Amino acid sequence: MFIDEVIVELYAGNGGDGCMAFKREKYVPMGGPFGGNGGKGSDIIFEVDEGLNTLIDLRYKKIIKGSKGTNGQGSAKHGANAKDIVIKVPMGTVITDTETNLIIADLTKKGDQVVVAYGGRGGRGNMAFATRANPAPAYAENGEPGEIKKVKVELKLLADVGLVGMPSVGKSTLISKISASKPKIAAYHFTTLTPNLGVVQAPTNKSFVVADLPGLIEGASLGEGLGDRFLKHIERTRVIAHVIDMSGFEGRDPYEDYLTINKELENFDKKVIEKPQIVVASKMDIEGSEENLKKFKEKVKDVKVFPICAITGTGLKEVLIELSNMLDKIEKKPLYEEEKFESHILYKFKKEQPFTIENENGVWVIKGDQVEKLYRMTRFTTDEAALRFSNKLRRMGIDDKLKELGANDGDTVRILDIEFEYKEV
């Protein structure tokens, strides 16, 4: 089954918890802190596998979870890092963050890989907090939460030439004659239900990849037929070969077919219609084709037209030479502008407030990634840990902001599921 788009929720692994322990030896009084750090949680990595040509393996993996790092232990033993999760995908896979609509990665080369969701770092054990002022800290950190992301994983086939045209115009027959691809061929519409790729060896000794893109009819860009599912696969192509049934055997006018398909390409993406194009006039062995071809050429003067009969092979050599020569002159360009990539956004320059405070039914509710992460990584098992948490909130400016908003002594303050009393200092 050909699957070219899935939505997946990713939960990278949490870091392991740090350990709070003290050195206990018979002849070493006041041995000091001895708790190790936790291990790092699993990253979730996407990696190209040349043997894949569909995303079917991800169809049944709506949620992918990483493992938590091992907790630190006493005797200065650090926890082990969790094993990363590696997801194999075909070349041409685009990964987009559904929340920001920014592209995380466009994987187009052998061996390409990207970390899509980062595992949390391990929490520090109390050894890591020892200072001259506090040589025996009585607290340790929980592991950092792993990243949570919802992503769209989309396959856009890697092909140099895209064959487009109405159903049953001979695209599948053409690709079967010029490559080793063996698509299903039959005398009815929508015989081809999935895109077919074929590697072509031109008479110029140059090779290139051709994609047979099925299902284009009028309204394809709006969801009619199968076209809306497969138009995306033409985005990477450098040349469009427009296959037209010049016989008019099914009662359609070749010129009207040409206009209709080009209109659908333009409606889908104006950049697509700007790609170099040739017309492949198919089924020239059928009566009436020569007359229709003459009329067609009178109306279409800015595109080269190549008459062929795919079954007998007539004209195929000329088509392949032309495509090879065109591809030599057209450089390969990245599919997306740099501004569309998540990595292009410089988050460090975003001047956003690290927290928000709202009064909900008399309760001051504090929200924000930094605050919530601090809470999750704090282990409230000792007074010293709670004091450290309170001091960090104060340094973030939360106490000052609460006072500015009118908070009074004894008011309830909530962060996630913890509530405490506000006390003005």
Side-chain angles (χ1 to χ4, degrees):
M1 186 183 296
F2 183 78
I3 302 295
D4 59 3
E5 184 175 319
V6 292
I7 302 292
V8 185
E9 292 182 45
L10 306 176
Y11 295 81
N14 296 337
D17 299 337
C19 175
M20 186 179 72
F22 295 91
K23 196 172 185 178
R24 307 293 185 190
E25 294 185 22
K26 186 173 183 180
Y27 300 107
V28 185
M30 304 293 291
F34 216 27
N37 301 335
K40 178 181 168 297
S42 301
D43 291 338
I44 298 180
I45 300 169
F46 282 68
E47 181 178 80
V48 166
D49 184 335
E50 287 184 288
L52 297 177
N53 55 20
T54 175
L55 297 172
I56 192 168
D57 290 346
L58 283 175
R59 186 183 186 188
Y60 304 106
K61 294 181 180 177
K62 299 298 184 184
I63 298 175
I64 298 174
K65 292 185 177 181
S67 302
K68 180 181 176 180
T70 305
N71 294 339
Q73 299 180 36
S75 301
K77 293 179 181 178
H78 298 311
N81 295 337
K83 186 178 180 181
D84 293 334
I85 306 294
V86 179
I87 309 298
K88 301 288 188 177
V89 293
M91 283 196 292
T93 297
V94 182
I95 304 165
T96 306
D97 189 319
T98 59
E99 184 178 348
T100 64
N101 211 30
L102 291 172
I103 297 164
I104 298 171
D106 185 9
L107 306 174
T108 59
K109 303 183 191 71
K110 177 182 177 181
D112 273 1
Q113 68 169 212
V114 62
V115 179
V116 177
Y118 285 89
R121 69 170 176 83
R124 289 171 288 180
N126 65 337
M127 278 181 65
F129 293 108
T131 63
R132 187 173 295 178
N134 185 7
Y139 55 85
E141 284 181 330
N142 292 328
E144 180 183 32
E147 279 191 305
I148 299 174
K149 284 190 176 181
K150 189 174 185 180
V151 297
K152 178 170 72 172
V153 186
E154 194 173 13
L155 174 61
K156 296 189 177 183
L157 294 176
L158 293 172
D160 299 299
V161 178
L163 302 181
V164 302
M166 290 287 190
S168 300
V169 295
K171 298 190 299 297
S172 297
T173 303
L174 175 58
I175 198 172
S176 71
K177 293 295 183 179
I178 62 177
S179 75
S181 178
K182 301 299 178 188
K184 182 180 178 182
I185 299 172
Y188 54 85
H189 287 184
F190 302 125
T191 308
T192 308
L193 298 178
T194 66
N196 292 300
L197 286 179
V199 178
V200 176
Q201 185 76 35
T204 57
N205 290 324
K206 300 286 182 64
S207 62
F208 51 89
V209 179
V210 175
D212 165 22
L213 304 170
L216 291 185
I217 60 173
E218 186 173 4
S221 59
L222 301 175
E224 297 293 331
L226 303 174
D228 64 319
R229 288 177 54 195
F230 302 125
L231 275 167
K232 72 180 80 172
H233 297 296
I234 204 170
E235 289 184 83
R236 293 193 195 275
T237 60
R238 291 186 283 157
V239 176
I240 295 173
H242 196 143
V243 184
I244 297 177
D245 177 0
M246 205 53 67
S247 71
F249 179 74
E250 295 193 8
R252 296 197 308 262
D253 178 71
Y255 181 66
E256 290 300 322
D257 281 1
Y258 174 74
L259 295 179
T260 297
I261 295 300
N262 277 343
K263 185 63 177 175
E264 294 306 320
L265 296 179
E266 185 177 16
N267 289 343
F268 174 71
D269 189 340
K270 291 189 184 298
K271 290 182 180 178
V272 170
I273 198 63
E274 294 170 1
K275 293 177 183 286
Q277 190 176 123
I278 67 169
V279 170
V280 179
S282 68
K283 304 186 182 181
M284 292 301 298
D285 56 325
I286 299 178
E287 186 179 352
S289 295
E290 290 291 347
E291 185 179 345
N292 288 337
L293 178 61
K294 184 179 178 180
K295 294 178 181 177
F296 184 86
K297 285 183 174 180
E298 290 174 355
K299 296 177 181 177
V300 179
K301 300 182 183 299
D302 56 344
V303 179
K304 289 185 178 181
V305 180
F306 293 84
I308 69 162
C309 174
I311 293 177
T312 63
T314 305
L316 295 185
K317 180 180 178 180
E318 290 75 15
V319 171
L320 297 183
I321 291 173
E322 177 66 17
L323 290 173
S324 178
N325 291 337
M326 290 176 73
L327 291 170
D328 278 344
K329 299 172 186 175
I330 304 169
E331 63 176 324
K332 292 184 178 181
K333 295 180 180 180
L335 181 59
Y336 299 102
E337 301 294 333
E338 190 179 3
E339 290 75 14
K340 292 187 178 182
F341 281 85
E342 190 174 79
S343 57
H344 182 79
I345 307 298
L346 301 178
Y347 292 102
K348 62 184 178 181
F349 292 115
K350 291 172 71 177
K351 296 181 179 179
E352 292 184 356
Q353 192 174 352
F355 61 85
T356 60
I357 302 177
E358 296 179 1
N359 193 302
E360 298 180 3
N361 299 320
V363 177
W364 298 100
V365 179
I366 304 173
K367 297 179 181 178
D369 291 341
Q370 291 183 34
V371 176
E372 291 169 11
K373 186 167 84 169
L374 174 63
Y375 165 65
R376 289 190 175 101
M377 293 183 70
T378 300
R379 195 180 312 162
F380 295 94
T381 53
T382 65
D383 290 341
E384 195 172 340
L387 180 62
R388 178 174 178 268
F389 176 75
S390 177
N391 289 337
K392 284 206 165 200
L393 293 183
R394 188 172 295 112
R395 285 196 292 272
M396 290 173 68
I398 288 178
D399 281 16
D400 291 340
K401 189 64 178 178
L402 283 168
K403 185 176 181 179
E404 179 187 324
L405 292 172
N408 299 310
D409 278 356
D411 282 359
T412 300
V413 178
R414 181 193 306 145
I415 300 175
L416 293 177
D417 59 355
I418 185 176
E419 292 186 350
F420 49 92
E421 285 188 4
Y422 170 72
K423 180 174 283 189
E424 189 176 336
V425 178

